[in-house]
Amino acid sequence: MSTENVSAEQLRLFIERIERLEEDKKGVADDIKDVYAEAKGTGFDTKTMRAIIRLRAMNKDDRQEQEAMLATYKAALGLDD
Amino acid sequence: MSTENVSAEQLRLFIERIERLEEDKKGVADDIKDVYAEAKGTGFDTKTMRAIIRLRAMNKDDRQEQEAMLATYKAALGLDD
């Protein structure tokens, strides 16, 4: 096998590994969509669920800081009624 | 268990399922990054690899159409030298 063929083969293997992993990622993303659909079917609001997941991913200090800033900006623009 | 508690419990289970799946997705995304890093270490250009993966995901007609349009626009703007 020439050096060029080895490189082409090596490249093909890298590309195929990535393509398999991209398929796995798509599979997991589809599973996530399914759970949201199931939750929606049960009556939950998925937009609010997404907001909760973002909040749970933050530490308490960051969350409180962000909520305080949001409250300040809301008050500044009269959105706090 | 009250209806409200059942709902809260149900919501918690949905949220936890999604969080576990999001972790899986992040794991796969990290694996993809690792493969790109390995390919880069071997001397491959990862930007070109990403372009190849996009092209392989398209069917031949779409790919040829897109390449023809790109060639036309490049010629129109003098980028075809």
Side-chain angles (χ1 to χ4, degrees):
Chain A
M1 227 182 197
S2 72
T3 311
E4 206 164 276
N5 284 347
V6 172
S7 282
E9 176 65 8
Q10 210 176 12
L11 177 61
R12 196 180 57 74
L13 291 172
F14 277 128
I15 296 284
E16 285 174 1
R17 272 171 70 194
I18 292 167
E19 285 173 342
R20 277 192 299 274
L21 288 166
E22 290 286 0
E23 269 171 42
D24 291 347
K25 204 173 81 173
K26 201 192 165 308
V28 180
D30 288 344
D31 289 344
I32 292 171
K33 265 185 211 152
D34 289 345
V35 180
Y36 277 117
E38 195 186 328
K40 191 176 179 171
T42 313
F44 290 111
D45 181 73
T46 53
K47 209 166 182 177
T48 310
M49 287 177 69
R50 284 178 196 276
I52 289 296
I53 283 170
R54 271 194 305 277
L55 291 171
R56 275 167 57 108
M58 299 172 77
N59 69 49
K60 198 175 179 179
D61 284 353
D62 289 346
R63 180 166 55 79
Q64 288 177 338
E65 191 187 330
Q66 184 176 307
E67 284 170 350
M69 281 204 295
L70 185 61
T72 305
Y73 287 16
K74 281 167 77 178
L77 295 173
L79 287 164
D80 57 341
D81 57 340
Chain B
M1 227 185 197
S2 71
T3 310
E4 205 164 278
N5 285 346
V6 171
S7 281
E9 176 64 9
Q10 212 176 11
L11 177 62
R12 196 180 57 75
L13 291 172
F14 278 128
I15 295 284
E16 285 174 1
R17 272 171 71 194
I18 293 167
E19 285 173 342
R20 276 192 300 273
L21 288 165
E22 289 286 1
E23 269 171 43
D24 291 348
K25 204 172 79 171
K26 201 192 166 306
V28 181
D30 288 344
D31 289 345
I32 293 172
K33 265 186 212 152
D34 289 345
V35 180
Y36 277 117
E38 196 185 327
K40 190 177 181 173
T42 314
F44 292 110
D45 182 72
T46 54
K47 210 167 181 176
T48 309
M49 288 177 68
R50 286 178 195 275
I52 290 296
I53 283 170
R54 271 195 304 276
L55 290 171
R56 276 167 57 107
M58 300 172 78
N59 70 47
K60 200 177 177 178
D61 285 352
D62 288 346
R63 179 165 54 80
Q64 287 176 340
E65 192 187 328
Q66 184 176 306
E67 283 170 352
M69 280 205 295
L70 185 60
T72 305
Y73 287 15
K74 280 167 77 177
L77 295 173
L79 285 165
D80 58 341
D81 57 342

